[in-house]
Amino acid sequence: MQQVNTWRAVAAATGAADRAAAEEGVRLAYRSAGLPEPERIVWAASPKEAVKAVELLSGAGKSVREEVRTGPWAEERRRLHDELGPAGWAELWSATGAQLWDTTRELAERIRAGVVSELVERPEDESDVRLVLLDAVLGQHDAAWLSAFDGRGERLTGLARVARNAGWWWPYEHAVVISERPVELHRDEAGRLDRGDGPALAFSDGFALYAWRGMPVPAEFLDELTSLTPERIRVEENAELRRVMLEYYGYDRYLAESGAQPVHRDETGVLWRIALEGDEDVVMVEVVNSTPEPDGTYRTYWLRVPPATRTAKEGVAWTFGLGQEAYEPVRQT
Amino acid sequence: MYRQGDVLIVSLDESAVPAHLADAPGERRDARGRLVLALGEVTGHAHAVQGPGRLLREAGPLDPMLLHLPEGGRVVHEEHAAIPLPKGWYRVVRQREYVPGSVRIVAD
């Protein structure tokens, strides 16, 4: 578990690369793969800049990603699978890589999509950019599978060293392009990109992604969030953006300022309903945390529930997948 | 039925435990020897159970987990009061929130 937490931190690491350590890792990875060390190592500020650098490379030779990364990884996986058996391998993966897989894979996919949308000016160029992205070794974002192999052999030490010290990298026969890590990364508790007052992910060259609780949003949209009014929220036609507006503004504040009325109240909480023109109603349960905050107050929070919900208890029960008759906690904290 | 923050722990009759799970090996414990029911990705705060027992996880993030406590145990969290649990089988359910067109889990 400790090892997973170390790799969890690697996947989320920000700030300048340790270039010497990363380059040493690159050379070790080549040697481990039985290849001569690359003649040139080119640094880029972000994956976006790295893709442009790859496109400008001359005399780099073919991609050796298969030899440097994929082949050794597959062999190590096979070796461990034989050693531990299918159940043992599944148990190892579930205790290590599986814990990091979804969040890092999603982050990498978002970076790819961001690079494509910034670099592709004509639709016919998209496949060129995507092909370059396919040649990338994901460095810190390979944390999930590196965590599974950590401490079980020397073969992947070079790859792991790059991952601990830098971002994505592109191995070719004679040259390597390697990217710095982000300078900013903001995520919510569920690991989704999330920031209301700036980029959720940013690199030093300005390449950035904006998101609110995982949902990609335009940068201009975030600028507008600080000056929202209930009227502006009401007239927003995009349901997803309106949901972000409501979350940012605060359901409680919106409820107070838009004159919403509680619909039902019982021992579990209060049910609220906001009618929205041309959209389904927003129905929420207001519940009070059972454990006091350090200052002795109790935090109130809102959870959105299906529009057909009639009582507060039915809403709270729904959040746990239960009918209201089945929801009877004997103790809650 | 017990609730700690965004996690609901529901007593389960032993006869309702799927046969293939009754003797399955459980999840690994964390570095502190606890069974982690739910982990906050950023703060690292966890709903976790101390004491002997097994946690059996089904595949998806919204699928419930099963918890077997042959001698009872305590569920703890950095921000919530601990809850003692009598011995037996439990279903562990994460709280979810309605999002038009989909459903997402709540993380506290």
Side-chain angles (χ1 to χ4, degrees), chain A residues 2 8 95 188-189 192 243 247 280 291 301 303-304 318-321 326-333, chain B residues 1-5 8 28 30-31 39-43 79-81 84 93 95-98 100 104 108:
Chain A
Q2 211 46 52
R8 190 187 299 279
D188 67 4
E189 265 294 279
R192 302 170 296 199
R243 174 164 67 75
E247 288 185 354
E280 65 184 20
T291 300
Y301 62 102
L303 293 174
R304 191 163 176 186
W318 180 89
T319 67
F320 288 111
Y327 183 73
E328 289 293 344
V330 295
R331 173 115 196 249
Q332 37 189 335
T333 67
Chain B
M1 184 179 293
Y2 305 85
R3 175 176 170 190
Q4 189 181 57
L8 189 72
R28 275 195 192 193
D30 72 357
L39 178 72
E41 176 75 21
V42 173
T43 58
E79 293 174 343
H80 297 273
V93 187
Q95 193 164 37
R96 60 182 178 164
E97 187 174 9
Y98 176 77
R104 67 178 174 196
D108 74 5

Side-chain angles (χ1 to χ4, degrees), chain A residues 15-24 43 161-162 164-166 178 180-181:
Chain A
D18 181 335
R19 293 191 173 195
E23 292 183 9
E24 187 193 307
W43 281 87
R161 191 164 302 163
V162 186
R164 287 177 190 275
N165 292 291
I178 183 165
E180 288 281 352
R181 296 182 292 210

Side-chain angles (χ1 to χ4, degrees), chain B residues 4-89:
Chain B
Q4 189 181 57
D6 58 0
V7 169
L8 189 72
I9 302 166
V10 185
S11 304
L12 189 64
D13 195 84
E14 192 161 354
S15 62
V17 177
H20 73 281
L21 286 180
D23 298 313
E27 291 274 307
R28 275 195 192 193
R29 289 168 181 267
D30 72 357
R32 292 151 71 181
R34 309 176 306 173
L35 295 167
V36 176
L37 307 183
L39 178 72
E41 176 75 21
V42 173
T43 58
H45 290 174
H47 298 278
V49 171
Q50 299 164 327
R54 275 183 307 149
L55 183 65
L56 302 154
R57 195 182 295 267
E58 299 274 15
L62 286 173
D63 287 336
M65 293 177 291
L66 296 187
L67 175 67
H68 184 210
L69 297 175
E71 299 169 26
R74 268 160 68 82
V75 56
V76 298
H77 186 275
E78 286 79 353
E79 293 174 343
H80 297 273
I83 300 178
L85 298 173
K87 67 179 178 183
W89 280 88

Side-chain angles (χ1 to χ4, degrees), chain A residues 179-202:
Chain A
S179 167
E180 288 281 352
R181 296 182 292 210
V183 290
E184 303 249 18
L185 173 66
H186 303 270
R187 298 179 305 158
D188 67 4
E189 265 294 279
R192 302 170 296 199
L193 287 176
D194 177 44
R195 189 171 169 199
D197 59 355
L201 178 81

Side-chain angles (χ1 to χ4, degrees), chain A:
Chain A
M1 201 73 180
Q2 211 46 52
Q3 149 190 338
V4 182
N5 289 334
T6 307
W7 284 101
R8 190 187 299 279
V10 167
T14 53
D18 181 335
R19 293 191 173 195
E23 292 183 9
E24 187 193 307
V26 166
R27 287 191 289 267
L28 178 56
Y30 272 64
R31 289 200 303 274
S32 306
L35 298 172
E37 292 179 4
E39 295 145 28
R40 282 178 290 153
I41 297 183
V42 178
W43 281 87
S46 72
K48 175 189 163 192
E49 197 182 294
V51 167
K52 288 198 286 187
V54 165
E55 287 174 335
L56 293 172
L57 276 182
S58 62
K62 68 174 180 62
S63 170
V64 291
R65 181 177 183 271
E66 176 68 28
E67 293 89 328
V68 167
R69 184 254 198 201
T70 314
W73 173 83
E75 282 170 33
E76 282 298 282
R77 183 186 178 284
R78 197 175 309 122
R79 185 178 69 79
L80 278 177
H81 192 273
D82 291 346
E83 188 181 310
L84 303 171
W89 166 258
E91 193 194 341
L92 172 65
W93 177 254
S94 125
T96 55
Q99 317 265 335
L100 308 177
W101 180 253
D102 287 340
T103 46
T104 45
R105 187 192 47 177
E106 188 176 321
L107 181 56
E109 194 38 55
R110 293 288 287 277
I111 293 172
R112 277 192 205 101
V115 170
V116 167
S117 84
E118 290 212 9
L119 290 183
V120 172
E121 283 167 16
R122 303 173 308 159
E124 56 267 36
D125 297 335
E126 179 169 338
S127 61
D128 292 344
V129 173
R130 289 205 175 269
L131 282 174
V132 174
L133 287 167
L134 279 180
D135 285 341
V137 178
L138 300 189
Q140 65 179 148
H141 297 143
D142 278 332
W145 61 267
L146 287 169
S147 75
F149 297 122
D150 193 3
R152 294 171 183 275
E154 299 295 308
R155 183 97 193 262
L156 305 177
T157 304
L159 291 173
R161 191 164 302 163
V162 186
R164 287 177 190 275
N165 292 291
W168 296 12
W169 56 291
W170 281 257
Y172 296 92
E173 281 176 285
H174 308 297
V176 164
V177 174
I178 183 165
S179 167
E180 288 281 352
R181 296 182 292 210
V183 290
E184 303 249 18
L185 173 66
H186 303 270
R187 298 179 305 158
D188 67 4
E189 265 294 279
R192 302 170 296 199
L193 287 176
D194 177 44
R195 189 171 169 199
D197 59 355
L201 178 81
F203 290 84
S204 65
D205 63 340
F207 173 60
L209 301 176
Y210 294 79
W212 173 262
R213 296 195 187 170
M215 188 179 128
V217 294
E220 316 79 71
F221 174 78
L222 287 184
D223 293 341
E224 202 196 337
L225 285 181
T226 51
S227 58
L228 282 178
T229 62
E231 178 55 22
R232 171 70 188 88
I233 296 172
R234 248 193 308 276
V235 300
E236 172 57 48
E237 289 181 355
N238 180 318
E240 287 222 301
L241 294 181
R242 189 168 53 212
R243 174 164 67 75
V244 175
M245 289 175 163
L246 276 169
E247 288 185 354
Y248 186 90
Y249 194 74
Y251 287 121
D252 48 342
R253 190 171 154 211
Y254 187 84
L255 288 168
E257 293 183 13
S258 63
Q261 294 294 316
V263 182
H264 183 261
R265 192 184 289 269
D266 59 31
E267 73 284 3
T268 63
V270 183
L271 190 75
W272 295 83
R273 178 178 294 271
I274 304 171
L276 293 175
E277 205 169 316
D279 196 0
E280 65 184 20
D281 291 354
V282 174
V283 177
M284 282 173 295
V285 281
E286 172 190 338
V287 288
V288 178
N289 229 347
S290 302
T291 300
E293 299 294 303
D295 66 1
T297 61
Y298 288 82
R299 188 165 67 100
T300 302
Y301 62 102
W302 280 261
L303 293 174
R304 191 163 176 186
V305 294
T309 307
R310 309 294 291 273
T311 69
K313 184 173 177 184
E314 184 188 349
V316 174
W318 180 89
T319 67
F320 288 111
L322 296 173
Q324 63 174 329
E325 68 296 337
Y327 183 73
E328 289 293 344
V330 295
R331 173 115 196 249
Q332 37 189 335
T333 67

